[in-house]
Structure formats: C-alpha cells, structure tokens
Coordinates of all heavy atoms in Angstrom, one line a residue:
P243 N 96.7 168.4 128.2 CA 96.3 169.7 127.6 C 97.3 170.8 127.9 O 97.8 170.9 129.0 CB 94.9 170.0 128.1 CG 94.9 169.3 129.4 CD 95.7 168.1 129.3
A244 N 97.6 171.6 126.9 CA 98.6 172.7 127.1 C 97.9 173.7 128.0 O 96.7 174.0 127.9 CB 98.9 173.3 125.8
P245 N 98.7 174.3 128.9 CA 98.2 175.3 129.8 C 98.1 176.6 129.0 O 98.6 176.8 127.9 CB 99.2 175.4 130.9 CG 100.4 174.9 130.3 CD 100.1 173.9 129.3
E246 N 97.4 177.6 129.7 CA 97.3 179.0 129.1 C 98.7 179.6 128.9 O 99.6 179.4 129.7 CB 96.5 179.9 130.0 CG 95.0 179.6 130.0 CD 94.3 180.0 128.8 OE1 94.7 181.0 128.1 OE2 93.3 179.4 128.4
G247 N 98.8 180.4 127.9 CA 100.1 181.1 127.7 C 101.3 180.3 127.5 O 102.4 180.7 128.0
F248 N 101.2 179.2 126.8 CA 102.3 178.3 126.6 C 103.1 178.6 125.4 O 103.0 178.0 124.3 CB 101.8 176.8 126.6 CG 102.9 175.8 126.9 CD1 103.3 175.6 128.2 CD2 103.4 175.0 125.9 CE1 104.3 174.7 128.5 CE2 104.4 174.0 126.2 CZ 104.8 173.9 127.5
G249 N 103.8 179.8 125.4 CA 104.5 180.2 124.3 C 104.9 181.7 124.4 O 104.9 182.2 125.6
I250 N 105.0 182.4 123.3 CA 105.3 183.8 123.3 C 104.2 184.5 122.5 O 103.3 183.8 122.0 CB 106.7 184.1 122.7 CG1 106.8 183.5 121.3 CG2 107.8 183.6 123.6 CD1 108.2 183.8 120.6
E251 N 104.2 185.8 122.4 CA 103.1 186.6 121.8 C 102.9 186.1 120.4 O 101.7 186.1 119.9 CB 103.4 188.1 121.9 CG 103.2 188.6 123.2 CD 103.4 190.1 123.3 OE1 103.2 190.8 122.2 OE2 103.7 190.7 124.3
V252 N 103.9 185.9 119.6 CA 103.7 185.6 118.1 C 103.5 184.2 117.8 O 103.0 183.9 116.7 CB 104.9 186.2 117.3 CG1 104.9 187.7 117.3 CG2 106.2 185.6 117.8
I253 N 103.8 183.3 118.7 CA 103.6 181.8 118.5 C 103.5 181.1 119.8 O 104.3 181.4 120.7 CB 104.7 181.2 117.6 CG1 104.4 179.8 117.1 CG2 106.1 181.3 118.2 CD1 105.2 179.3 115.9
A254 N 102.6 180.2 119.9 CA 102.4 179.5 121.1 C 101.6 178.2 120.9 O 100.9 178.1 119.8 CB 101.6 180.3 122.2
V255 N 101.6 177.3 121.8 CA 100.8 176.1 121.8 C 99.4 176.5 122.3 O 99.4 177.0 123.5 CB 101.3 174.9 122.6 CG1 100.4 173.7 122.5 CG2 102.7 174.5 122.1
P256 N 98.4 176.5 121.5 CA 97.1 177.0 122.0 C 96.6 176.2 123.3 O 96.9 175.0 123.4 CB 96.1 176.7 120.9 CG 97.0 176.7 119.7 CD 98.3 176.1 120.1
A257 N 96.0 176.9 124.2 CA 95.5 176.3 125.5 C 94.6 175.1 125.1 O 93.7 175.2 124.3 CB 94.8 177.3 126.3
G258 N 94.8 174.0 125.8 CA 94.0 172.8 125.6 C 94.5 171.9 124.5 O 94.1 170.7 124.4
E259 N 95.4 172.4 123.6 CA 95.9 171.5 122.6 C 96.8 170.4 123.2 O 97.4 170.7 124.3 CB 96.7 172.3 121.5 CG 95.9 173.1 120.6 CD 94.9 172.3 119.8 OE1 95.4 171.4 119.1 OE2 93.7 172.5 119.9
P260 N 97.0 169.2 122.6 CA 97.7 168.2 123.3 C 99.2 168.4 123.4 O 99.8 168.8 122.4 CB 97.4 166.9 122.4 CG 97.0 167.5 121.1 CD 96.4 168.8 121.4
L261 N 99.8 168.1 124.5 CA 101.2 168.0 124.7 C 101.5 166.5 124.9 O 100.9 165.8 125.8 CB 101.6 168.7 126.0 CG 101.4 170.2 126.1 CD1 101.9 170.7 127.5 CD2 102.2 170.9 125.0
E262 N 102.3 165.9 124.0 CA 102.7 164.5 124.1 C 103.9 164.4 125.0 O 105.0 164.8 124.6 CB 102.9 163.9 122.7 CG 101.7 164.0 121.8 CD 100.5 163.2 122.2 OE1 100.7 162.2 122.9 OE2 99.4 163.7 121.9
L263 N 103.7 163.7 126.1 CA 104.8 163.6 127.1 C 105.3 162.2 127.2 O 104.6 161.2 127.2 CB 104.3 164.0 128.5 CG 103.8 165.4 128.6 CD1 103.2 165.6 130.0 CD2 104.9 166.5 128.4
S264 N 106.7 162.1 127.2 CA 107.3 160.8 127.5 C 108.2 161.2 128.7 O 109.2 161.9 128.5 CB 108.1 160.4 126.3 OG 108.8 159.2 126.6
V265 N 107.9 160.7 129.9 CA 108.5 161.1 131.1 C 109.2 159.9 131.8 O 108.6 158.8 131.9 CB 107.5 161.7 132.1 CG1 108.1 162.2 133.4 CG2 106.8 162.9 131.4
R266 N 110.4 160.2 132.3 CA 111.1 159.2 133.1 C 111.4 159.9 134.5 O 112.0 160.9 134.6 CB 112.4 158.8 132.5 CG 113.1 157.7 133.3 CD 114.4 157.2 132.7 NE 115.4 158.3 132.9 CZ 116.5 158.4 132.1 NH1 116.7 157.6 131.1 NH2 117.3 159.4 132.3
L267 N 110.9 159.2 135.6 CA 111.1 159.7 136.9 C 112.1 158.8 137.6 O 111.8 157.5 137.6 CB 109.8 159.8 137.7 CG 108.7 160.7 137.1 CD1 107.4 160.6 138.0 CD2 109.1 162.1 137.0
E268 N 113.2 159.3 138.1 CA 114.2 158.5 138.7 C 114.5 159.0 140.1 O 114.8 160.2 140.3 CB 115.4 158.5 137.9 CG 116.5 157.6 138.3 CD 117.7 157.6 137.4 OE1 117.7 158.2 136.3 OE2 118.7 156.9 137.7
S269 N 114.4 158.1 141.1 CA 114.7 158.5 142.5 C 116.3 158.6 142.6 O 117.0 157.7 142.2 CB 114.2 157.5 143.4 OG 114.5 157.8 144.8
V270 N 116.7 159.7 143.2 CA 118.1 160.0 143.5 C 118.2 160.4 144.9 O 117.2 160.7 145.6 CB 118.8 161.0 142.5 CG1 118.8 160.5 141.1 CG2 118.0 162.3 142.5
M271 N 119.4 160.5 145.4 CA 119.6 160.9 146.8 C 118.9 162.2 147.2 O 118.3 162.4 148.2 CB 121.1 161.0 147.2 CG 121.8 159.7 147.2 SD 121.2 158.5 148.4 CE 121.7 159.3 149.9
E272 N 119.0 163.2 146.3 CA 118.5 164.5 146.6 C 117.0 164.7 146.3 O 116.4 165.6 146.8 CB 119.2 165.6 145.7 CG 120.7 165.7 146.0 CD 121.5 164.6 145.2 OE1 120.9 164.0 144.3 OE2 122.6 164.4 145.6
G273 N 116.4 163.8 145.5 CA 115.0 164.0 145.2 C 114.6 163.1 144.0 O 115.0 161.9 143.9
V274 N 113.9 163.7 143.0 CA 113.5 162.9 141.9 C 114.0 163.7 140.6 O 113.7 164.9 140.5 CB 111.9 162.8 141.8 CG1 111.5 162.2 140.6 CG2 111.4 162.0 143.0
L275 N 114.6 162.9 139.8 CA 115.1 163.5 138.5 C 114.1 163.2 137.4 O 113.8 162.0 137.2 CB 116.5 162.9 138.1 CG 117.1 163.4 136.8 CD1 117.4 164.9 137.0 CD2 118.3 162.6 136.5
A276 N 113.5 164.2 136.9 CA 112.5 164.1 135.8 C 113.1 164.4 134.5 O 113.7 165.5 134.4 CB 111.3 165.0 136.1
S277 N 113.0 163.5 133.6 CA 113.5 163.8 132.2 C 112.6 163.2 131.2 O 111.8 162.4 131.5 CB 115.0 163.2 132.1 OG 115.0 161.8 132.4
G278 N 112.8 163.6 130.0 CA 112.0 163.1 128.9 C 111.9 164.0 127.7 O 112.7 164.9 127.5
T279 N 110.8 163.9 127.0 CA 110.5 164.7 125.8 C 109.1 165.2 125.9 O 108.2 164.6 126.4 CB 110.7 164.0 124.5 OG1 109.8 162.8 124.5 CG2 112.2 163.5 124.3
V280 N 108.9 166.4 125.2 CA 107.5 166.9 125.0 C 107.4 167.3 123.6 O 108.3 167.8 123.0 CB 107.3 168.2 125.9 CG1 108.3 169.2 125.7 CG2 105.9 168.7 125.8
G281 N 106.2 166.8 123.0 CA 105.9 167.1 121.6 C 104.6 167.9 121.5 O 103.7 167.6 122.3
A282 N 104.5 168.8 120.6 CA 103.3 169.6 120.4 C 103.4 170.4 119.1 O 104.4 170.3 118.4 CB 103.1 170.6 121.6
V283 N 102.3 171.1 118.8 CA 102.3 171.9 117.6 C 102.0 173.4 118.1 O 100.9 173.6 118.6 CB 101.3 171.5 116.5 CG1 101.3 172.4 115.3 CG2 101.7 170.1 116.1

C-alpha cells in the first residue's frame, strides 16, 4: 500500500493504493544493492 503523502500537492498516489514492486536485492561488499521497478497510478 502507498504511504501517506506519496507525491506532490497537485498529484499523488493516494494512501493505501497499490504500489507494484519488482525488487532485486544483491549482496555487495559494502551492503545490499536494492534495485527494481515500482508501478502505480
């Protein structure tokens, strides 16, 4: 679910609306590299 205030004053993803996440977590020497895509309306 989208968190509160996910956008700007004139346009935003309403709180609770779905965020479609495709996430890749990769371990590297310094930490974890998170990458992917987010889709919403």
Side-chain angles (χ1 to χ4, degrees):
E246 288 286 331
F248 201 72
I250 55 178
E251 287 185 23
V252 291
I253 189 165
V255 178
E259 288 298 305
L261 296 176
E262 300 298 330
L263 303 171
S264 178
V265 180
R266 183 179 72 202
L267 302 176
E268 186 176 355
S269 181
V270 294
M271 292 296 291
E272 298 81 16
V274 175
L275 182 64
S277 57
T279 59
V280 57
V283 177

